[in-house]
Amino acid sequence: MTLEPVQTHCPYCALQCAMTLTPSADQVEGGSAVEVAPRPVPSVQGGATSAGGLCHKGWTSAAVLRVPDRITEPLVRSASGVLEPSSWEDALAFIATRVAALQGAHGNDSIGVFGGGGLTNEKAYQLGKFTRTVLRSKHIDYNGRFCMSSAAAAGNRAFGIDRGMPFRVTDLGSADAILLLGSNVADTMPPFVQHLAGVRSRGGLIVVDPRRTATAALTDGDGQSPGGLHLQALPGTDQTLLLGLLHLVVAEGLADEQYLAARVNGWDDVRRSVALWWPERVAATTGVAESSLRRAVQILAAASPARGGNGAMILSGRGAEQHTDGTDTVTAAINLSLALGLPGRPASGYGCLTGQGNGQGGREHGQKADQLPGYRMIDDPSARAHVAAVWGVDPDSLPGKGVPAVELLGKLGGEVKALFVHGANVVVSAPDALAVRRRLESLDLLVVCDFVPSETAQLADVVLPVTQWAEEEGTMTNLEGRVLRRRKALDAPGQARSELDILAGLARALGSEVHFDTEPALVFDELARASAGGKADYSGLSHALLDAEEQGAGSGGHYWPAPVGSTGTPRLFARRFAHPDGRARMVAVSPGAPADDLRREAPVYLVTGRVLAQYQSGAQTRRVDALNAVAPAAFVELHPHLAKLHQIDDGDDVAVTSVRGTAIARARITTTIRTDTVFMPFHWAGDGMANAVTNDAVDPISGMPEFKVCAVSIARADLFVPPQPEEVLA
Amino acid sequence: MTAQSSAPEKIVVVGAGMVGHRFVDELVRNDRSGRFAIELVGAEEYEPYNRILLSEVLAGRADLRALGLPLPDADRVLFRRGVAVDEIDTDARELLLSDGTRSTYDRLVLATGARAFVPPLPGLAGPAGAPKHVHVLRTLDDTRNIAARAMNAKHAVVLGGGLLGLEAACGLRRRGVPVTVVDLDDHLMATQLDRGPSRMLAAQLRSLGIDVITSTSVAEVISAYDEIVAVRLTDDRLLAADLMLVSCGIRAESGLAARAGIAVERGIVVDEELRTSDPWVHAIGDCAQPPTGMTGLLAPGWNQADDLVALMLGREDLDPDAVGDDRPDPVKLKAVGVDLVTMGVRPSQALDDDRVLTVSDGGGNRHVDLVLRDGELVGVTCLGFPDVSAALTLAYDRRTPLPADPLALLVPAGAQGGVAATVSPMRMPGSTTVCRCSAVTKKQIVSAWEQGATTPDAIAGATRATTGCGGCKEVVCGLVDWLNASDPAAPAPSVDTPVTPRNTPVESTT
Ligand SMILES: Cc1cc2nc3c(=O)[nH]c(=O)nc-3n(C[C@H](O)[C@H](O)[C@H](O)COP(=O)(O)OP(=O)(O)OC[C@H]3O[C@@H](n4cnc5c(N)ncnc54)[C@H](O)[C@@H]3O)c2cc1C
Ligand code: SF4
């Protein structure tokens, strides 16, 4: 165990801020085992992904390493129903026996696997391989489905490839305009805001959000900058807004016809489709004033290189994507970027702001129901043959396409009898979470790998303790498609093991002959081979190469695709798109209404999201005192007009009810939200669990659930009468 | 082709305007099994286009390319462009087309729209017809002709101060043509507006350089060499005019139906299910006269198209419960320089128990009426408040919750923005969060300074402030400057001095 400082990256979000961990000499129980400090990462521009910043979550991340309730030994539920310590051997044997019995009785597909966007590339890869070769089940998907799936589907459709950002994050600094759709980066990834300094100083930041978030407030002008534009659209109308902007691009003759003719298919259809979205109609649907629509278009057009600007970008986040028409909404954003001739031009194009730490890599290497490593499609015979050869199995033995996350969760207790959960806390983070809990409880076997007793782990039959970020080696792929090294600073406590060891052990226990490496560098090498020739090609990379680069060889980072012999591709699309003909594809889209729309009994929209000091389901961050001090509990943000109507005072408990369930949390009254909308963060379990209320209706293309809008009624908690007690309390 | 148990039912749609187009689009989208064979017959030579944007084109604000509507799916729809239906034989269910061919139908949908009404004025009607440069505005050709004339016109007269007439007047004005609007009514947009706001609208138009003459009409159109040169008004005034736009309302295009013996009054009479007197013939859009009345607006026509598709496919989900469905649609004047939107009940139509709020700003040509009934917004007249008109439309349309004081609706969202303005470091309460990213308060920064962190970098090291988004750099620098300036020579106080005199007055402001 060395006490040398170790260079790694934050465990949480996709910005993957670089940090230096210095192990403290006395790694006492309850104390911080390592000191965290930010570290700038060199890149060609001299900028850096995180420009040497960290947010509160990153700064305090070490606290999770030694939380008092850290799981340090395998736990198996005893006959009396409590989770009791067990040896690894017994726990794995128990799982193997149950799995074999269930598969014998109900077939291979009766075992499901639910992965996470926080797992390293190596773990994600191994999990997919384990499911396909050992369990031989088609049922694997992951919580990234709740994150980037709509943007992924739209990106693939338009560009033939899905890399969150097709440019470097440092390129943002040179753009003259950035349209940010439904993303509150100032709270979710604060250091990212440093990259917006340039565009803000030029008055080019446009933020679309139903709330006046900290990010939206960045559009305020001040002494130095002229200010940008905040478009406070009605929830669920982002697509309409985008179609309206594209209409104006056409109407005002701002489309880059030359680029469209040379590089894009489908423009004629798309141009016609937006003839139906004239400004008055769009203003009346979104609530955004016509003058603001016109100004937004002028800003974007003036910034586009075709018209002499320094670059214009359109970036989307969950606010625009987590809808039943999320894929089409992203497509509308991409269409707008193509019409202005942006993708492939300097400091220009469309990008998706990935949320989870390895949401990008997690979807490239086999956790998705329909994909094999390297972003290969599982129903493509040549992809199956290539990957099967790397795995040393018969291609025909690989299962086919599974189903996306929400559908998979819907099968629990039915077709799927057992579930492995890795890096996800679905009873808090999945939509319609009360129903998910009921289904998990009906399983024959629930195995959860976690390092803390998350709400999901507490329901498990077997809990397996795993390593945390500072205790392991691996790689993560950040929001710009850059592959980064995660490094080990200290040993895991107790008997905690890496998932790589667990999966290898389970494979053995299940009698599989397939080889599973446990050394992360070797797993990466195998992943690289499996991805070779695929869209997300990592075959030119290795841990050694990534290490050398960070030690100062200074290539400015390795971005996939990085086929053998190349050092990666920081910017995509300069000359061609990834479809076989090299052209981008525009697809005409039309907006859908929210699946659960306003009615007399449910006259208010609920939108959900994150706060600065908590992360996702909160399993990690809710265990950090410093974060709880800032963000102690769930709350309901509402406008004073709405509050007054319901006689709600600041701090009162408010019940927010949909047909699926109720959440009760403190009122936070603020004029920064629309009068017809309430907001709840989704980090908490219990009474204040926002996902008890959200809708699990999904986008038919991506499988993305509609977290971002549903119709609710609100009431002061003491006046609240539960509508259907049996549903809400179940 | 999917296997079909019986031959598909053949639907012919007459008229490829906004509503016929919508009907075909919806039918194709929803009829996934190919139950219907669809034929669309449209008299206009052009590809289907967005008619309501013609005013934008006239104003030079929209490129013609922005008008072209999606082409009907060629695999599903036989589209006969530039062909009119001349006769319907309802017994044989057969059509005679203008290209001499015939076509049959199982069901016929008439979406023939409307044409501009031209009053029989001396000098306009008569054997010679209208002189040159007298136009109506209904089609792409009309728009092109008016725009072409506008290049040389010295004075245009618009007869009719309704929605369309005013949009056109503003459009012509934007092209630099002096315009006079003449209206027989005593106030403009009488269909939508009460007198008060209408007067203000007229004032706003005058400020744009548009002359408005009310309670007057054109008595005679005077021409020379078959070109208009002037109009004589009913009060005998003469106005020079080398361009005239007649905008006196529309008449349903119902002749075809009438000739076929289908019941026609002001339009083609249809029942709640959009059926005409012939059970195999439907009518939708501007040509139809449903029990709820005719509006000449697009939104009701689109609803009819959607409803008819649902009825034909046997899906009964006409969604009567959907929020806002049973209300008259908002009407927006699409004119440069005037922001006017009206919807629902206006004050003169309000019931005794309705709450009517009026804000009138004569000097600024701004006026708002809000009509509330049972706590809901049932009517809005909004002139000159471009920043809130969209939000008001939404509140009316979606019945979203209203503020206890409805006048708060008139404050634009941005203006209520809750983010505190920057205050000077001195006046800031100690509990103020300076660095959001690491949740560092002013108090923590002050005590770090007291413990020797006297530069911004040192503050960052001690408190983590400025290490996230960097947004607080300025404030932290300001604080450090202020602290250093207030006590340049003082040594850092000892660790156990919790509150210094320096920040006591600051605390008192919390
Ligand atoms: C300049 C302008 C601005 C407007 N602005 C607005 C607005 O802002 N908001 C609003 O709600 N409404 C507006 N309107 C009204 C709106 O355009 C109409 O309500 C709408 O177009 C009605 O659609 P429709 O399909 O019923 O009729 P139309 O669009 O008139 O289409 C009818 C079509 O049928 C064809 N046709 C007629 N007879 C035959 C035949 N025998 N055989 C074949 N084809 C035939 C016609 O050539 C025409 O193409 C505006 C209208 C104009 C002219
Ligand atoms: S922004 Fe994201 S990666 Fe950076 S410190 Fe915060 S949580 Fe970690």
Side-chain angles (χ1 to χ4, degrees), chain B residues 400-432:
Chain B
T400 52
L402 297 182
D405 176 3
L407 280 185
L409 286 169
L410 302 187
V411 184
Q416 314 175 347
V419 179
T422 347
V423 286
S424 86
M426 210 165 44
R427 307 235 350 253
M428 197 184 268
S431 60
T432 309

Short mmCIF file of all heavy atoms in Angstrom, two decimals, chain B residues 400-432:
data_model
loop_
_atom_site.label_atom_id
_atom_site.label_comp_id
_atom_site.label_asym_id
_atom_site.label_seq_id
_atom_site.Cartn_x
_atom_site.Cartn_y
_atom_site.Cartn_z
N THR B 400 -54.33 26.58 -16.70
CA THR B 400 -53.36 26.41 -15.62
C THR B 400 -53.75 27.30 -14.44
O THR B 400 -54.48 28.27 -14.61
CB THR B 400 -51.94 26.75 -16.12
OG1 THR B 400 -51.98 28.03 -16.73
CG2 THR B 400 -51.47 25.73 -17.12
N PRO B 401 -53.29 26.95 -13.24
CA PRO B 401 -53.71 27.66 -12.04
C PRO B 401 -53.39 29.16 -12.13
O PRO B 401 -52.31 29.54 -12.59
CB PRO B 401 -52.87 27.02 -10.93
CG PRO B 401 -52.41 25.72 -11.48
CD PRO B 401 -52.35 25.87 -12.95
N LEU B 402 -54.30 29.96 -11.67
CA LEU B 402 -54.13 31.41 -11.74
C LEU B 402 -53.62 31.94 -10.41
O LEU B 402 -53.92 31.38 -9.36
CB LEU B 402 -55.46 32.08 -12.06
CG LEU B 402 -56.08 31.73 -13.40
CD1 LEU B 402 -57.37 32.50 -13.58
CD2 LEU B 402 -55.11 32.07 -14.51
N PRO B 403 -52.88 33.02 -10.46
CA PRO B 403 -52.47 33.65 -9.20
C PRO B 403 -53.67 34.22 -8.47
O PRO B 403 -54.69 34.53 -9.08
CB PRO B 403 -51.54 34.77 -9.66
CG PRO B 403 -51.86 35.01 -11.08
CD PRO B 403 -52.38 33.73 -11.64
N ALA B 404 -53.55 34.33 -7.14
CA ALA B 404 -54.63 34.89 -6.37
C ALA B 404 -54.95 36.30 -6.88
O ALA B 404 -56.10 36.69 -6.95
CB ALA B 404 -54.24 34.93 -4.90
N ASP B 405 -53.92 37.04 -7.23
CA ASP B 405 -54.15 38.33 -7.87
C ASP B 405 -53.88 38.18 -9.36
O ASP B 405 -52.73 38.13 -9.79
CB ASP B 405 -53.21 39.38 -7.28
CG ASP B 405 -53.38 40.70 -8.02
OD1 ASP B 405 -54.26 40.78 -8.91
OD2 ASP B 405 -52.63 41.65 -7.70
N PRO B 406 -54.94 38.09 -10.16
CA PRO B 406 -54.75 37.80 -11.59
C PRO B 406 -53.88 38.82 -12.30
O PRO B 406 -53.31 38.52 -13.34
CB PRO B 406 -56.17 37.81 -12.14
CG PRO B 406 -57.07 37.64 -10.96
CD PRO B 406 -56.36 38.25 -9.79
N LEU B 407 -53.77 40.02 -11.76
CA LEU B 407 -52.94 41.01 -12.44
C LEU B 407 -51.47 40.57 -12.48
O LEU B 407 -50.71 41.03 -13.32
CB LEU B 407 -53.05 42.37 -11.75
CG LEU B 407 -54.29 43.19 -12.11
CD1 LEU B 407 -54.21 44.56 -11.46
CD2 LEU B 407 -54.44 43.32 -13.61
N ALA B 408 -51.11 39.67 -11.57
CA ALA B 408 -49.74 39.17 -11.58
C ALA B 408 -49.43 38.47 -12.89
O ALA B 408 -48.26 38.31 -13.26
CB ALA B 408 -49.51 38.23 -10.40
N LEU B 409 -50.47 38.05 -13.60
CA LEU B 409 -50.26 37.41 -14.91
C LEU B 409 -49.57 38.36 -15.88
O LEU B 409 -49.02 37.94 -16.89
CB LEU B 409 -51.61 36.99 -15.50
CG LEU B 409 -52.28 35.77 -14.90
CD1 LEU B 409 -53.69 35.65 -15.43
CD2 LEU B 409 -51.49 34.52 -15.27
N LEU B 410 -49.66 39.64 -15.60
CA LEU B 410 -49.12 40.60 -16.56
C LEU B 410 -47.64 40.88 -16.36
O LEU B 410 -47.05 41.66 -17.09
CB LEU B 410 -49.91 41.91 -16.48
CG LEU B 410 -51.40 41.75 -16.74
CD1 LEU B 410 -52.07 43.10 -16.80
CD2 LEU B 410 -51.63 41.00 -18.04
N VAL B 411 -47.06 40.25 -15.35
CA VAL B 411 -45.63 40.44 -15.14
C VAL B 411 -44.90 39.35 -15.90
O VAL B 411 -45.12 38.18 -15.65
CB VAL B 411 -45.28 40.35 -13.65
CG1 VAL B 411 -43.80 40.65 -13.44
CG2 VAL B 411 -46.15 41.32 -12.86
N PRO B 412 -44.05 39.70 -16.86
CA PRO B 412 -43.37 38.66 -17.62
C PRO B 412 -42.49 37.79 -16.73
O PRO B 412 -41.95 38.27 -15.72
CB PRO B 412 -42.52 39.43 -18.63
CG PRO B 412 -42.69 40.86 -18.34
CD PRO B 412 -43.69 41.05 -17.27
N ALA B 413 -42.40 36.51 -17.10
CA ALA B 413 -41.68 35.54 -16.26
C ALA B 413 -40.29 36.03 -15.91
O ALA B 413 -39.88 35.97 -14.76
CB ALA B 413 -41.61 34.20 -16.99
N GLY B 414 -39.57 36.52 -16.88
CA GLY B 414 -38.19 36.94 -16.64
C GLY B 414 -38.11 38.03 -15.57
O GLY B 414 -37.20 38.04 -14.76
N ALA B 415 -39.10 38.91 -15.57
CA ALA B 415 -39.05 40.04 -14.66
C ALA B 415 -39.23 39.62 -13.21
O ALA B 415 -38.91 40.36 -12.29
CB ALA B 415 -40.12 41.06 -15.03
N GLN B 416 -39.76 38.39 -13.01
CA GLN B 416 -39.94 37.94 -11.64
C GLN B 416 -38.71 37.18 -11.16
O GLN B 416 -38.67 36.72 -10.03
CB GLN B 416 -41.13 36.97 -11.52
CG GLN B 416 -42.35 37.43 -12.23
CD GLN B 416 -43.43 36.37 -12.18
OE1 GLN B 416 -43.19 35.24 -11.82
NE2 GLN B 416 -44.64 36.75 -12.53
N GLY B 417 -37.75 37.03 -12.05
CA GLY B 417 -36.56 36.20 -11.79
C GLY B 417 -36.10 36.34 -10.35
O GLY B 417 -35.94 37.44 -9.85
N GLY B 418 -35.87 35.22 -9.68
CA GLY B 418 -35.64 35.28 -8.25
C GLY B 418 -34.18 35.34 -7.86
O GLY B 418 -33.89 35.42 -6.68
N VAL B 419 -33.29 35.29 -8.81
CA VAL B 419 -31.89 35.24 -8.41
C VAL B 419 -31.45 36.62 -7.94
O VAL B 419 -31.62 37.62 -8.64
CB VAL B 419 -31.01 34.76 -9.57
CG1 VAL B 419 -29.56 34.74 -9.14
CG2 VAL B 419 -31.46 33.38 -9.99
N ALA B 420 -30.92 36.67 -6.75
CA ALA B 420 -30.59 37.94 -6.13
C ALA B 420 -29.56 38.70 -6.95
O ALA B 420 -28.63 38.13 -7.50
CB ALA B 420 -30.05 37.71 -4.73
N ALA B 421 -29.75 39.97 -7.03
CA ALA B 421 -28.77 40.80 -7.71
C ALA B 421 -27.51 40.84 -6.84
O ALA B 421 -27.57 40.64 -5.63
CB ALA B 421 -29.31 42.19 -7.90
N THR B 422 -26.39 41.09 -7.48
CA THR B 422 -25.14 41.12 -6.72
C THR B 422 -25.19 42.27 -5.72
O THR B 422 -25.55 43.38 -6.06
CB THR B 422 -23.95 41.36 -7.67
OG1 THR B 422 -24.42 41.18 -9.00
CG2 THR B 422 -22.81 40.46 -7.34
N VAL B 423 -24.86 41.96 -4.49
CA VAL B 423 -24.78 43.03 -3.50
C VAL B 423 -23.31 43.21 -3.15
O VAL B 423 -22.49 42.33 -3.35
CB VAL B 423 -25.56 42.68 -2.22
CG1 VAL B 423 -27.04 42.80 -2.47
CG2 VAL B 423 -25.22 41.30 -1.73
N SER B 424 -23.00 44.33 -2.61
CA SER B 424 -21.61 44.58 -2.30
C SER B 424 -21.20 43.65 -1.16
O SER B 424 -22.01 43.31 -0.31
CB SER B 424 -21.41 46.04 -1.90
OG SER B 424 -21.68 46.18 -0.52
N PRO B 425 -19.94 43.23 -1.14
CA PRO B 425 -19.49 42.25 -0.16
C PRO B 425 -19.76 42.71 1.27
O PRO B 425 -20.06 41.90 2.15
CB PRO B 425 -17.98 42.14 -0.42
CG PRO B 425 -17.64 43.11 -1.48
CD PRO B 425 -18.88 43.61 -2.09
N MET B 426 -19.71 44.02 1.43
CA MET B 426 -19.85 44.55 2.78
C MET B 426 -21.26 44.34 3.30
O MET B 426 -21.47 43.99 4.46
CB MET B 426 -19.54 46.03 2.72
CG MET B 426 -18.95 46.60 3.97
SD MET B 426 -18.23 48.19 3.61
CE MET B 426 -19.44 48.98 2.58
N ARG B 427 -22.24 44.57 2.44
CA ARG B 427 -23.62 44.56 2.90
C ARG B 427 -24.20 43.15 2.95
O ARG B 427 -25.29 42.92 3.43
CB ARG B 427 -24.49 45.42 1.97
CG ARG B 427 -23.91 46.81 1.80
CD ARG B 427 -24.89 47.92 2.14
NE ARG B 427 -26.26 47.51 2.36
CZ ARG B 427 -27.23 47.75 1.49
NH1 ARG B 427 -26.99 48.35 0.36
NH2 ARG B 427 -28.45 47.38 1.78
N MET B 428 -23.47 42.22 2.40
CA MET B 428 -23.96 40.84 2.30
C MET B 428 -24.07 40.21 3.70
O MET B 428 -23.13 40.31 4.48
CB MET B 428 -22.91 40.09 1.49
CG MET B 428 -23.31 38.80 0.90
SD MET B 428 -21.82 38.12 0.11
CE MET B 428 -22.01 38.75 -1.53
N PRO B 429 -25.20 39.58 4.03
CA PRO B 429 -25.28 38.92 5.33
C PRO B 429 -24.26 37.79 5.44
O PRO B 429 -23.91 37.17 4.43
CB PRO B 429 -26.69 38.34 5.37
CG PRO B 429 -27.43 38.98 4.25
CD PRO B 429 -26.43 39.45 3.26
N GLY B 430 -23.81 37.54 6.64
CA GLY B 430 -22.80 36.51 6.84
C GLY B 430 -23.24 35.13 6.40
O GLY B 430 -22.44 34.30 5.97
N SER B 431 -24.53 34.88 6.46
CA SER B 431 -25.01 33.54 6.12
C SER B 431 -25.18 33.35 4.62
O SER B 431 -25.53 32.27 4.16
CB SER B 431 -26.35 33.29 6.81
OG SER B 431 -27.27 34.26 6.37
N THR B 432 -24.94 34.39 3.83
CA THR B 432 -25.11 34.27 2.38
C THR B 432 -24.14 33.23 1.82
O THR B 432 -22.95 33.25 2.12
CB THR B 432 -24.81 35.61 1.69
OG1 THR B 432 -25.56 36.62 2.33
CG2 THR B 432 -25.13 35.56 0.22
#
